[in-house]
Amino acid sequence: MPSQPTTSPASIASIVLSMSCVAIGNGMMLAYVPFSLARVGAPPWTAGAAVTAIAFGGLLGCVIGGPLIRRVGHARLFSCSMALVILSALLIALGVNPILWVVARGIYGCSGNMNFIIAQSWLNHAASNDWRGKAMSGFYMTYVIGLGAGAWLFGQIPAEGNLAPLATIFFTALAILPIGLTRLPNPPPPQNVSVDIPMAWRNSPVALIGVLAAGGLSMVVQGFAPIYAAGNQIPQQDVALLMFVMQFGLLFIQYPLGALSDRIDRRYVLLITCMLICGAGIAALFVTFASLALLMLVFAIFAGAVETVYSIANAHANDRADPADFVPLASTLLVAWSVAATAVPLAVTALTPVFGDQTFIYAAMAVAAAYALFVAIRLRERAAEPAAGEGFELMSAQIPNASTLCDPMLEEPPQTR
């Protein structure tokens, strides 16, 4: 295996800082778009189509990200993808136009996934084995907190006009500076990314289906919750606070469940997580916006449990992977996440006019229940496995794992997985 880079944790600060600025802008737009569409009385399908467009754009970003990095390198493509984020926000700043806004969110989804591929692979290249896990966990946590901070900032500015997308342009422009000035060397050209679904299924059916489930669950809960709140005429500040609180569910739900999954068979923890999703979904159906504080707590648990499915399924896949299969496995899981993240919101968008604005809650519960049933069947077919040891790493399904797709130095999974 090639020698690891000799860098310190401080050396990756530019990458983390850039992505944190991006997260703040993204958090603002995740709140601004559905709130504005509801406020102006846009067609009911528009907000859901915007969520689906983000996921479809993300799938496109997964496909073209690797070849573009091979063509121009990490640093140049990072600037180009930031330019696409700015273009997306500019199209929204022009004024409410439902079709144009859906296109803009698709452009953001494409550039967003390319940003993740660039940042994660660059972090993996820059970090050495003894602190790579902490670096990746810190990156995920910082990004998710940035999303929440962006949503909170949206609640502090006027919703009328185009101040929110202009602020997004400001934060995205700031994000270019740390990467543009970094002294970190560009990683080597990426490997050819191959998708091998039969290999991923042989490695772990529970992990593959879990990542599929997580893609749909995350996009549905994170994408449709602000639409649900805005559609119920909730004030701007409360919509922003709801999204802010939801991000912290990731920290308070995922950490204890992740620690538990290091001590017992991860599949049992996945079952517990699915039951938690269903329980939170039932509570969300009956707790009204009149009890806003309680509803925020319910949605924080809802979002945290949804994100936990991804992290534990990803860890379970890595537990069982042969070193030679790790890169194609990671790319297969990334594409699987993207496909589900596109298909499930599309179905929710189509069904919402029929079943109402709580359709996304029913959809999340249905996906979680179906996955729990699959895990239970696999537990009966295959005996319980020993505890995985200290291997769990905080991850978010909002940031699909692309950390090894573009780094030929890595021949085996990071030890913290």
Side-chain angles (χ1 to χ4, degrees), residues 4-12 122-128 130-131 184-185:
Q4 294 294 320
T6 55
T7 54
S8 68
S11 66
I12 65 171
W122 208 339
L123 284 171
N124 238 9
H125 173 73
S128 58
D130 57 342
W131 55 273
L184 275 177

Side-chain angles (χ1 to χ4, degrees), residues 12-24 78 139 142 171 174-175 177-179:
I12 65 171
S14 58
I15 301 173
V16 176
L17 179 59
S18 287
M19 291 302 290
S20 297
C21 290
V22 173
I24 293 172
F78 188 86
F139 166 71
T142 303
F171 282 110
L174 283 182
L177 300 180
I179 288 293

Side-chain angles (χ1 to χ4, degrees), residues 14 27 31 61 101 106 110 117 143 145 287 303 307 321 336 339 367 374 395 408:
S14 58
W101 280 29
C110 180
I117 292 173
Y143 187 88
I145 291 175
V287 178
E307 302 296 323
V339 170
V367 171
F374 179 78
M395 304 183 79

Side-chain angles (χ1 to χ4, degrees), residues 214 216-218 220-225 228 242 245-250 252-254 257 273-285 294-309 357-369 398:
L217 285 167
S218 180
V220 164
V221 174
Q222 298 284 354
F224 283 85
Y228 177 54
L242 170 65
V245 170
M246 283 175 62
Q247 306 313 317
F248 284 88
L250 171 68
F252 296 110
I253 301 298
Q254 187 173 143
L257 289 176
T273 306
C274 288
M275 289 188 286
L276 188 59
I277 292 171
C278 291
I282 293 171
L285 292 173
L294 180 58
L295 189 65
M296 287 183 180
L297 176 62
V298 168
F299 269 95
I301 296 172
F302 204 9
V306 162
E307 302 296 323
T308 302
V309 171
D357 57 2
Q358 292 183 324
T359 301
F360 79 101
I361 300 175
Y362 292 113
M365 293 168 60
V367 171
Q398 298 176 78

Side-chain angles (χ1 to χ4, degrees), residues 33-183:
V33 170
F35 183 84
S36 296
L37 290 173
R39 182 172 55 86
V40 301
W45 56 267
T46 309
V51 176
T52 305
I54 294 174
F56 180 76
L59 178 59
L60 181 61
C62 293
V63 173
I64 67 175
L68 287 176
I69 292 174
R70 284 198 298 272
R71 182 179 178 86
V72 302
H74 287 69
R76 288 179 177 176
L77 186 60
F78 188 86
S79 297
C80 292
S81 64
M82 289 297 151
L84 289 177
V85 175
I86 290 174
L87 176 60
S88 169
L90 178 62
L91 292 176
I92 293 175
L94 295 177
V96 179
N97 183 318
I99 299 296
L100 191 62
W101 280 29
V102 170
V103 172
R105 297 310 279 162
I107 294 172
Y108 170 77
C110 180
S111 57
N113 260 22
M114 286 195 294
N115 290 338
F116 297 147
I117 292 173
I118 294 165
Q120 292 172 358
S121 62
W122 208 339
L123 284 171
N124 238 9
H125 173 73
S128 58
N129 281 342
D130 57 342
W131 55 273
R132 179 178 289 115
K134 293 180 180 178
M136 296 303 293
S137 292
F139 166 71
Y140 280 107
M141 183 169 63
T142 303
Y143 187 88
V144 169
I145 291 175
L147 285 176
W152 180 83
L153 283 175
F154 167 69
Q156 313 309 308
I157 62 176
E160 297 76 14
N162 59 4
L163 185 57
L166 290 179
T168 297
I169 292 173
F170 169 77
F171 282 110
T172 307
L174 283 182
I176 300 174
L177 300 180
I179 288 293
L181 297 174
T182 185
R183 299 179 62 183

Side-chain angles (χ1 to χ4, degrees), residues 222-245:
Q222 298 284 354
F224 283 85
I227 298 172
Y228 177 54
N232 280 272
Q233 306 302 315
I234 301 305
Q236 174 190 350
Q237 291 79 6
D238 291 338
V239 173
L241 184 59
L242 170 65
M243 295 188 65
F244 177 72
V245 170

Side-chain angles (χ1 to χ4, degrees), residues 194-210:
S194 58
V195 176
D196 190 342
I197 293 177
M199 178 275 298
W201 178 267
R202 290 192 303 271
N203 174 71
S204 173
V206 167
L208 176 60
I209 302 301

